[in-house]
Amino acid sequence: MESTAFCGMTKGNFPMLYGIFFVIGGLALAALDQLLKICATTYLLPVGQAPLIPGLIELQYVLNDGMAFSMLSGRRWLLIGVTSLVLLAVIVVLIARPMPRLDRITWMLILGGGLGNLIDRVRTGVVVDYLNFQFMEFPVFNFADICVCTGVGLLILSLLLDMRREHRSGSATSVHENHTDADA
């Protein structure tokens, strides 16, 4: 028996409503990202940096006008345009396409993180970064970056698992077909 998602409606029968729930989740992640960036700006801008876990992670106020690892630095409108199109596609996929819950969580994370950084780019032209690993050379990043990277990582994992399932089911079919042919 299928579990109910909302007021007796099943997620199998109402993927649109189920998708809207995950779009709202993405909006909530973007709102949390914006709140964290407001805190970083308020508390770190005057001091520049502060230890979070000494020797491991520090809070450091950095403005980034590019994307990951400062790629496309200075290309604000290109980043805004491409990000907007990608996020629109993600919203359509979440609402219109039936998919497993893990895939919805994956797209929700990508939506929330992408939207959080997009808001910064539209509003000020730069993204506020504030998390810095002290134990290794790595760019300063933020909560939105964590959401996007986690979402992309889960997407890759999901695709690999799907490929593995398809390979296994294809192998089982081939073995069954070979066995049937040998019996004839």
Side-chain angles (χ1 to χ4, degrees):
M1 179 176 217
E2 210 169 338
S3 64
T4 58
F6 181 76
C7 297
M9 298 181 280
T10 62
K11 64 182 177 185
N13 295 334
F14 296 94
M16 181 186 231
L17 183 63
Y18 202 61
I20 290 170
F21 172 77
F22 282 91
V23 170
I24 292 169
L27 295 174
L29 290 172
L32 177 59
D33 173 67
Q34 290 298 298
L35 179 64
L36 291 169
K37 288 173 180 173
I38 289 169
C39 290
T41 301
T42 302
Y43 297 108
L44 292 175
L45 183 58
V47 296
Q49 61 193 42
L52 182 62
I53 302 172
L56 294 177
I57 300 174
E58 73 176 353
L59 299 173
Q60 180 180 6
Y61 186 81
V62 174
L63 298 175
N64 181 0
D65 68 344
M67 55 184 257
F69 306 106
S70 295
M71 291 187 297
L72 297 176
S73 184
R75 305 261 169 111
R76 176 184 182 191
W77 296 110
L78 175 66
L79 286 169
I80 288 171
V82 170
T83 302
S84 297
L85 290 174
V86 169
L87 294 180
L88 184 60
V90 169
I91 290 169
V92 169
V93 165
L94 272 169
I95 292 174
R97 184 173 174 250
M99 66 182 81
R101 183 176 290 133
L102 179 60
D103 290 357
R104 288 200 186 277
I105 292 169
T106 294
W107 292 114
M108 177 185 72
L109 287 166
I110 292 169
L111 174 63
L115 185 58
N117 282 340
L118 178 63
I119 291 168
D120 281 6
R121 282 193 190 96
V122 168
R123 227 181 74 233
T124 64
V126 293
V127 173
V128 174
D129 289 328
Y130 49 85
L131 295 169
N132 184 31
F133 287 133
Q134 292 181 297
F135 60 91
M136 61 188 256
E137 272 303 309
F138 197 79
V140 180
F141 58 100
N142 60 42
F143 178 73
D145 298 334
I146 294 169
C147 289
V148 170
C149 290
T150 302
V152 169
L154 288 172
L155 179 63
I156 292 168
L157 178 63
S158 177
L159 292 171
L160 290 173
L161 291 173
D162 285 348
M163 288 171 47
R164 183 176 177 198
R165 270 186 239 114
E166 286 176 19
H167 178 71
R168 282 186 172 178
S169 67
S171 296
T173 304
S174 298
V175 168
H176 179 66
E177 288 171 358
N178 290 340
H179 183 62
T180 305
D181 291 341
D183 288 341

